[in-house]
Amino acid sequence: MKIVVFVSGRGSNLRAILDSRELKGKIEVKAVFSDRENCKAFRIAENNSINTYTLGENPGQTGYKNLSHVLNQLNIELIVLAGFLKLIPDEIVKKYKNKIINLHPALLPSFSGKGMYGIHVHEAVFNSSVKVSGATVHFVDSTYDTGKIIVQKCVDISDVNSPEEIAQRVLKVEHQLLPFVIGKFADKKIEVINNRVVILE
């Protein structure tokens, strides 16, 4: 299965995908996209001989208007957002319906929406005093964090002392969850039945 990964940060989830034993031979990461020219994840991509694209309107960047054409050329079957902070254009969302997934560092639908990313999520979780957090992989629609939930995994945070501790625990879950879901897509084991996402055995 041919996939692309969209990132904005250091790319630890990109590395988890590339390092996953379960995904070896199942997927090919055709390209990595970012909204930032100096995205640290680009180094991971380049070290794995994966093409990179910076999204933007400056010279040498890939414009969002050209994104559909680039994805077509790559014959992409799944788009993975792994810490990507921008909304995907509606044209792409409609064209790749149920073929775009996002990883969110909390248990949706809580702690979601515009501005809720990275440490901001974990600060909100910490300040709320909830006792569990976790990660969610969901389908992408036209707004932030509102697509159908594919899978979630909880982590106990009842004894943490800082948002940073929550981030560390949730990151471990993220690194398990995202490759798992991608593998299920590669095996054609994810379907929407009766308006709910089902992972088949």
Side-chain angles (χ1 to χ4, degrees):
M1 183 177 69
K2 296 176 182 177
I3 77 169
V4 289
V5 182
F6 283 59
V7 292
S8 292
R10 64 186 186 275
S12 72
N13 278 295
L14 170 63
R15 188 183 299 281
I17 293 167
L18 295 171
D19 289 348
S20 170
R21 292 180 182 177
E22 290 75 18
L23 294 179
K24 298 294 183 190
K26 283 188 179 184
I27 68 160
E28 180 185 2
V29 180
K30 297 292 291 182
V32 173
F33 291 80
S34 181
D35 57 319
R36 299 177 177 178
E37 282 190 3
N38 297 318
C39 177
K40 290 182 179 178
F42 278 174
R43 297 175 197 165
I44 297 171
E46 289 158 3
N47 288 340
N48 286 273
S49 302
I50 299 170
N51 290 331
T52 60
Y53 296 84
T54 302
L55 294 166
E57 305 305 325
N58 294 328
Q61 296 182 339
T62 301
Y64 282 93
K65 291 179 180 178
N66 297 326
L67 182 55
S68 180
H69 175 68
V70 174
L71 295 172
N72 267 344
Q73 286 186 316
L74 296 171
N75 295 315
I76 294 309
E77 299 167 80
L78 184 69
I79 298 170
V80 178
L81 311 187
F84 187 67
L85 304 182
K86 301 289 186 181
L87 277 177
I88 299 297
D90 280 346
E91 172 199 0
I92 304 296
V93 172
K94 290 174 183 175
K95 182 176 179 180
Y96 291 90
K97 184 178 180 180
N98 292 345
K99 294 181 180 178
I100 310 175
I101 62 173
N102 179 56
L103 175 66
H104 185 75
L107 297 174
L108 293 179
S110 300
F111 308 107
S112 62
K114 189 173 182 180
M116 292 299 283
Y117 61 89
I119 196 64
H120 301 299
V121 175
H122 303 304
E123 287 170 346
V125 169
F126 182 81
N127 291 331
S128 75
S129 192
V130 295
K131 307 309 177 191
V132 294
S133 190
T136 303
V137 179
H138 65 96
F139 284 118
V140 171
D141 59 17
S142 58
T143 56
Y144 285 108
D145 303 327
T146 55
K148 288 189 181 301
I149 292 169
I150 301 169
V151 67
Q152 294 177 301
K153 188 168 183 179
C154 298
V155 60
D156 180 12
I157 57 166
S158 58
D159 61 341
V160 298
N161 295 304
S162 69
E164 288 75 19
E165 278 189 62
I166 297 174
Q168 289 174 0
R169 294 187 189 184
V170 171
L171 191 62
K172 291 179 182 177
V173 171
E174 292 178 28
H175 291 170
Q176 298 166 5
L177 215 53
L178 193 56
F180 168 79
V181 172
I182 293 169
K184 290 296 183 182
F185 270 98
D187 292 337
K188 303 189 185 305
K189 296 288 189 181
I190 293 181
E191 295 184 6
V192 179
I193 301 172
N194 294 328
N195 216 30
R196 291 180 64 82
V197 182
V198 176
I199 299 178
L200 304 174
E201 293 298 326

